[in-house]
Amino acid sequence: MKIHLTMFSIVFVMVVSNNSTLAQDTIPSIVKMGNKAGDFVDHTYKPLTLKLNEDGSKYIRFLFWNQMWARATENNPGTLDVSGNPQSTSTDIGIRRARVLAYAEISPRFLILSHWGINNQTFTNGGVPGGGLTGNPGNVPVIVDPETGVGSASGMSAKKPQLFFHDIWTEFKITNELYAGMGLHYWNGISRMSSHSTLNFMAIDAPIFNWPLIELTDQFARQFGFYAKGQIAKWDYRIALNKPFSVGSGGRYEATTSRPVAANVVNDNWATQGYIAYQFLEKENNKLPFFVGSYLGSKKVFNIGAGWHHHPEATNSVTANGEIQNHDIKLFGIDTFLDLPINKASGTALTTYSVFYHYDFGPNYIRNVGIMNVGFGSGTTQNGPGNSQPMIGTGKIFYNQTGFLLPKNWLGEKGRLQPFAAITHKNFEYYNEGAWQYDAGMNYYINAHQAKLTLQYSQRPIFENFNKSGTAGEFIFQTQIFL
C-alpha cells in the first residue's frame, strides 16, 4: 500500500505543479497564460443551452460529466483475483460515472427532464451478460452476491455497459411555492445527502449509506412516484409518494446466532418520503433536486433539515418456529450543512456537513457493499471479498465531512486546493459492536467543480464473528470534468 500511496502522491503533485491549464476558483473566469506571447486562455464557462426564443426564457439545457477512478486497494482477507488466486492488494482503473442530463422549459409552467448514462465499469464487471459478440463470458470465474458475499460462476462481462435512465420526469408549476411532478425521480427524503448532486461532492464520493435503498427498491437512488416541492419563506421542502421497485426473496432465521434476519420481500405497497430544511442564510436553488456539496465560498449557506422514508411491509424475517413476520422499512435522518466564506480577500471558505441516520429495515437487516469491487470469492471474513464492507442495515449511523478551501495565493493562477476529511460511526444491530472509519483527501480545483482532481484515502473496518477484527484501506484518484 505504501508503494501505491507514493505512486498516486507523485502523480497528484506533478499535476498540481505542472498543469498549464490555469483557472480561477469562480465561473465564469478568464485567466492569462504565463507565456512570452502574453496570450490569454479563456476559461469562461457558459452553460450548454439551446435557446428556443430570443430572450432565452424557452430553452433546453444540457450537462455532460465524466468521473474516472484509479485505485490501489487493500483487499479483505480471503479475496481472490480474476484467475481464482489469492490477492491481498489490487490496482485498477474504471468509470465511476459517465452521464448526460437534459432538461427543458418552453413555459414557466412546466419542465421536462431526462438523465441517462452508466456507472461502475471496471476491467472485470459492469457490462452486459456475455459482453456481446466480442465479450468474455465464462472467463471471469466467479461473481459475488453483494448481500451474501457468496461467489458463483457467471457469464457476466466488463464490456459494453448498458445505458439506462437515471431520471425521467415531468413537472408542473402550481404556484410560486408549489411545484408537482411525476416519473422516475430523485426528489428523495431522509437527508440532504440522499438527494446529493454527483457533480460537486466535497469528498471523492457519497458514503453510499446516504442511499439506503440503492439498487434494491430503487433504480440507482430513484423510484417511480409523484412529488411536490417548493420553498415557503426560508423553508425548503420535498415530499413524494412512490411505488418502489418490487424485489427480494425474503428473510431467514439464522440458526448459528438464534435470531431472525430481515431481508427485502416482493410487495406492491406504496412508500412515502420527504425532506424539509430551514435555510438560515442564503437560499439555495431548488429547480432541480440535486443538493450542492461545496459552494467553494460563493454562497453563505446554513441549513438544518430532517426527513424520512416509510415503506410498509417491505421486508420479512423468519422466527425459530418458522413463522414469517413482515416489517416496515422506516428510515429517518437529521442533518446540518454549513458553507461559509471565511476571508473574502484570500478566498478561504469552510464547508461542513453532519448527519445522523436511524434506519429500521427489520431485525438484524444488513447489506455489504463494495463500490466497483474487483475482488472475487467469498472472502474469509463477514465483509466478503475485495473492498466490500457492512454498509447499510438496521441501526444508527453518524457521518461528518469537513473541508477548508485554502487561500488563492497558494497556487496563484494554477487553481485552488481544498483538504477535507470525513468520519463515520456505524452501529448496526447485526454486529456486537459499532465501528469508526475515516476518509481524508485533497481536491485540486483547476476550474472549480467543472475540472478537478481528487486524491482520497478511505479506511474501512473488517468484521469477524460479529466483532471488528481489523481495518483495510483504499487509495482513490479521480479526474472529473463536467460541462
Side-chain angles (χ1 to χ4, degrees), residues 25 202 294-301 338-352 402-408 416-420 445:
D25 66 312
M202 182 169 61
S294 177
Y295 283 103
L296 306 180
S298 64
K299 289 178 72 73
K300 293 182 179 179
V301 178
L338 174 68
D339 201 305
L340 195 65
I342 301 300
N343 186 298
K344 186 175 181 180
S346 65
T348 55
L350 173 69
T351 304
T352 184
T402 299
F404 187 77
L405 189 64
L406 297 178
K408 296 177 183 178
R416 304 295 300 276
L417 292 176
Q418 182 189 48
F420 62 85
Y445 296 104

Side-chain angles (χ1 to χ4, degrees), residues 12 202 406 417-420 440-444 453-456:
F12 192 75
M202 182 169 61
L406 297 178
L417 292 176
Q418 182 189 48
F420 62 85
M442 179 79 75
N443 287 311
Y444 169 40
L453 307 176
T454 304
L455 179 65
Q456 177 174 300

